[in-house]
Amino acid sequence: MSLNLVRRIRDNLHGSIDITELEDAVIAHPFFQRLRRVRQLAFLHYVFPGATHSRFEHSLGVLHLGSLAWEKLKTNQARLRNSLARYQDFAGSEPRGEGSHGRLAPTFGLMDAVFSSDYVLQCFRLAALLHDVGHPPFSHSGEHFMPTWTEVLQSNPDLPDYLQNYLKDRINAMQAKGQDPAKARVRHEIYSILLIERMFRDIYRSSVGHLPKFDVRDVIAIINPAIAPSENSPLLKVGAYPLVRELISGELDIDRMDYLLRDSRECGVVYGVFDVDRILDSLCVYYDDNDQQLHVAIMLSGLAAFEDYLRARYSMYLQLYFHKSSVAAEAMMRHLTDILQGWRLPARVENYAAIDEYNIGQALYEAARLLRSPAERDGVVVLVADLLYNRRLWKRVYEISGPAQTLSMQSVEAVQKILTRHGIRHQLVSSGNSLTRFQPRGAEERSRNYLRLIRKDERQLPRIAPIEDHSSLIASNDSVAIHRIYAVPSAGHGIPDIKALITDELKL
């Protein structure tokens, strides 16, 4: 089997993106075309007018970066193999046991099997293309309207057994913790895997047998690690599963790489710019004796570019994603959820996919008609119009920020009590981010981070080392928390008056 490239799409960030025959069928499916009508950055175009790009563009970009990363891994591993062939006992010289953080020698034979499998490559590319297909309108902000776990299970009785069992297991685990699955909402990732399963069912039903066959469970397993690949999957046979998982979702993944570069360009800022080519040029693979699996590594020469990538991600959250006006829209979404008393997006897969940013406004207006109170109905109509069409956003009346580990919520709680006492409607939105999720390790502790570094020892032989031992960013791991309170002005409480009220009463 070989990948049959049938189309080339021009992207304004990456240039030409090659598409296989199966990917072309996926892109043509209505569920994927829906992503054209889901903005990547929700309401951030209210701040940066150019930020109207969609999840559709981003998904194509992740596919492209996945293809580049795969080719770089293949080339870099071959180059490393050739350079080490001159050392007769390189494999025997690599540390083992407690002193080993991974080895290179076992990867060369294993990677031959990985790179010779078109099945693995196509599954990886499909997972990259489809990782965001389940996003609701307004992306992460729309998750306030997601259906509950119970509704998802009950509304989709035709799911295959492995997905039914997955949902049941999650529901049982929630109940064991005292949580109510009839109230807890699913995340968009759940609808990603449900939509993927339905898409492939539709595609293979209509393809009259000319498309290459792939087990959709293998694609879903790459996106959701709680679902194992099929029993006889090539992903498991050649040991590629952990590797492709890390490339799709991790501290160094193609998803974040694309959205940082894309969001920076469309917003007209430079905060998210980093040297993606240098990072990809340094990608390699190591073998971990502890779990007997292949994992992603980077050469020491790529460490500076990786640290720039972490800084870029951190800056983008502070400067763009947590912008006060964008967060104001998030506060209004939360308030809308409270007023609509549990209104949710349809739970049935095809009905869920029928809602996008072009028609959700009408759906919200219809939901408002079900409210008993005329004042609440009118309030929802005004709120939806202000949020979706007129850009009349709530104003921030209080904010504190600082290191996440030490920032106190005492003043925030005091302000909330003040506003409640005066009958002022408000919402608290807390945002937080850190440079990395990687953790430093103790002197005798084994690294808990999958990403490792390849550096030369005193004999000039490449060795696997914990990346945190050589990165000052991971050692410091700056983090920030921002707590903002937004209030809606009323006839008796203008925003300046509310701010003055808070200032005066906090002195007491």
Side-chain angles (χ1 to χ4, degrees):
M1 179 182 63
S2 60
L3 301 187
N4 183 20
L5 298 175
V6 298
R7 190 178 302 279
R8 181 166 289 161
I9 297 175
R10 187 70 179 177
D11 177 61
N12 70 338
L13 177 63
H14 300 302
S16 295
I17 299 176
D18 290 326
I19 304 298
T20 70
E21 186 178 22
L22 184 53
E23 292 157 6
D24 194 40
V26 168
I27 292 170
H29 194 282
F31 289 176
F32 192 86
Q33 288 293 314
R34 168 184 170 274
L35 294 182
R36 295 181 184 271
R37 303 184 295 278
V38 177
R39 289 190 188 94
Q40 175 75 11
L41 294 178
F43 299 102
L44 202 59
H45 64 287
Y46 284 159
V47 183
F48 302 95
T52 57
H53 54 298
S54 69
R55 291 277 164 181
F56 184 90
E57 300 156 60
H58 166 62
S59 298
L60 293 174
V62 177
L63 166 67
H64 177 71
L65 285 181
S67 179
L68 287 182
W70 192 262
E71 290 303 313
K72 289 294 186 180
L73 275 177
K74 184 177 180 179
T75 302
N76 295 345
Q77 208 68 12
R79 184 184 297 119
L80 192 59
R81 181 183 203 167
N82 291 337
S83 69
L84 295 177
R86 70 191 70 170
Y87 303 105
Q88 295 182 355
D89 193 31
F90 174 77
S93 73
E94 289 193 290
R96 294 172 179 262
E98 292 297 324
S100 173
H101 299 287
R103 293 187 293 138
L104 289 171
T107 67
F108 302 130
L110 293 171
M111 291 308 292
D112 285 343
V114 171
F115 289 129
S116 65
S117 173
D118 287 331
Y119 184 96
V120 170
L121 175 56
Q122 182 64 94
C123 281
F124 170 55
R125 288 172 58 101
L126 287 168
L129 181 65
L130 291 167
H131 75 286
D132 270 353
V133 73
H135 264 289
F138 315 119
S139 293
H140 293 289
S141 294
E143 299 210 30
H144 298 294
F145 298 128
M146 296 297 283
T148 68
W149 286 92
T150 300
E151 289 172 331
V152 172
L153 180 61
Q154 293 176 347
S155 300
N156 298 282
D158 55 343
L159 294 174
D161 289 343
Y162 74 94
L163 289 182
Q164 290 272 2
N165 293 335
Y166 167 72
L167 294 174
K168 290 176 182 177
D169 289 345
R170 289 295 302 270
I171 288 173
N172 291 337
M174 294 175 64
Q175 291 173 331
K177 296 178 181 178
Q179 301 171 346
D180 187 354
K183 294 181 179 179
R185 300 176 189 270
V186 302
R187 298 289 303 274
H188 76 271
E189 289 89 350
I190 299 303
Y191 272 91
S192 288
I193 64 177
L194 300 185
L195 289 169
I196 290 170
E197 192 281 328
R198 181 62 59 85
M199 290 172 70
F200 275 84
R201 193 191 311 175
D202 293 345
I203 289 169
Y204 283 128
R205 184 186 298 124
S206 61
S207 70
V208 295
H210 72 278
L211 289 175
K213 290 294 183 181
F214 287 84
D215 191 331
V216 65
R217 178 168 178 168
D218 290 342
V219 178
I220 289 173
I222 296 174
I223 296 172
N224 188 330
I227 297 174
S230 57
E231 184 176 355
N232 297 314
S233 170
L235 291 174
L236 299 176
K237 288 182 178 179
V238 301
Y241 182 54
L243 189 64
V244 293
R245 274 283 310 145
E246 290 166 9
L247 290 172
I248 291 288
S249 179
E251 283 296 84
L252 181 64
D253 64 57
I254 54 177
D255 178 21
R256 288 181 176 88
M257 288 184 190
D258 181 83
Y259 76 63
L260 290 175
L261 295 172
R262 190 174 300 277
D263 295 349
S264 292
R265 170 171 291 196
E266 301 299 344
C267 291
V269 301
V270 297
Y271 309 122
V273 176
F274 60 95
D275 193 347
V276 63
D277 292 334
R278 192 70 190 88
I279 292 176
L280 295 181
D281 283 342
S282 72
L283 284 182
C284 284
V285 179
Y286 73 94
Y287 180 81
D288 192 335
D289 289 299
N290 193 48
D291 61 15
Q292 298 183 342
Q293 292 180 342
L294 296 168
H295 297 279
V296 176
I298 59 172
M299 304 293 291
L300 180 62
S301 58
L303 180 59
F306 172 67
E307 291 185 330
D308 285 343
Y309 157 81
L310 294 180
R311 293 188 189 96
R313 189 177 68 185
Y314 188 67
S315 296
M316 285 289 282
Y317 274 92
L318 294 184
Q319 301 294 333
L320 265 80
Y321 306 139
F322 295 160
H323 190 282
K324 62 182 177 62
S325 297
S326 177
V327 177
E330 172 72 11
M332 296 171 74
M333 287 286 284
R334 295 186 183 187
H335 191 67
L336 191 58
T337 305
D338 294 341
I339 297 176
L340 290 178
Q341 301 173 355
W343 179 84
R344 292 180 284 273
L345 291 165
R348 180 74 179 169
V349 167
E350 57 267 33
N351 296 334
Y352 175 89
I355 303 294
D356 54 45
E357 292 178 20
Y358 286 24
N359 58 23
I360 193 173
Q362 186 59 40
L364 292 171
Y365 284 143
E366 292 175 0
R369 296 193 186 104
L370 302 177
L371 297 174
R372 295 181 179 180
S373 167
E376 285 187 340
R377 288 197 297 269
D378 293 343
V380 169
V381 170
V382 171
L383 187 58
V384 171
D386 286 349
L387 178 59
L388 302 191
Y389 307 118
N390 300 323
R391 199 198 178 277
R392 295 193 182 104
L393 304 178
W394 288 6
K395 302 300 181 182
R396 174 189 52 179
V397 296
Y398 186 77
E399 175 181 327
I400 60 170
S401 61
Q405 299 90 336
T406 59
L407 190 61
S408 172
M409 290 289 289
Q410 185 175 356
S411 64
V412 174
E413 295 167 355
V415 170
Q416 287 185 291
K417 290 179 180 178
I418 292 170
L419 296 176
T420 300
R421 187 164 61 248
H422 288 275
I424 298 172
R425 293 188 298 165
H426 64 278
Q427 285 283 339
L428 167 67
V429 181
S430 297
S431 310
N433 192 40
S434 59
L435 270 169
T436 175
R437 291 177 295 182
F438 284 171
Q439 298 296 321
R441 69 186 185 102
E444 303 299 325
E445 185 182 18
R446 183 177 174 82
S447 177
R448 291 171 289 172
N449 307 317
Y450 75 85
L451 184 67
R452 305 277 166 85
L453 200 65
I454 301 176
R455 62 185 295 273
K456 292 182 178 180
D457 65 7
E458 62 278 1
R459 296 174 57 201
Q460 298 301 288
L461 293 175
R463 302 299 189 204
I464 306 300
I467 193 170
E468 61 269 26
D469 290 0
H470 302 274
S471 172
S472 58
L473 286 187
I474 296 175
S476 62
N477 197 14
D478 294 338
S479 63
V480 67
I482 308 172
H483 304 292
R484 295 182 175 115
I485 296 176
Y486 292 83
V488 57
S490 62
H493 298 97
I495 296 301
D497 297 329
I498 296 174
K499 290 182 177 180
L501 176 69
I502 291 172
T503 301
D504 291 341
E505 296 205 17
L506 281 179
K507 294 178 182 179
L508 300 179

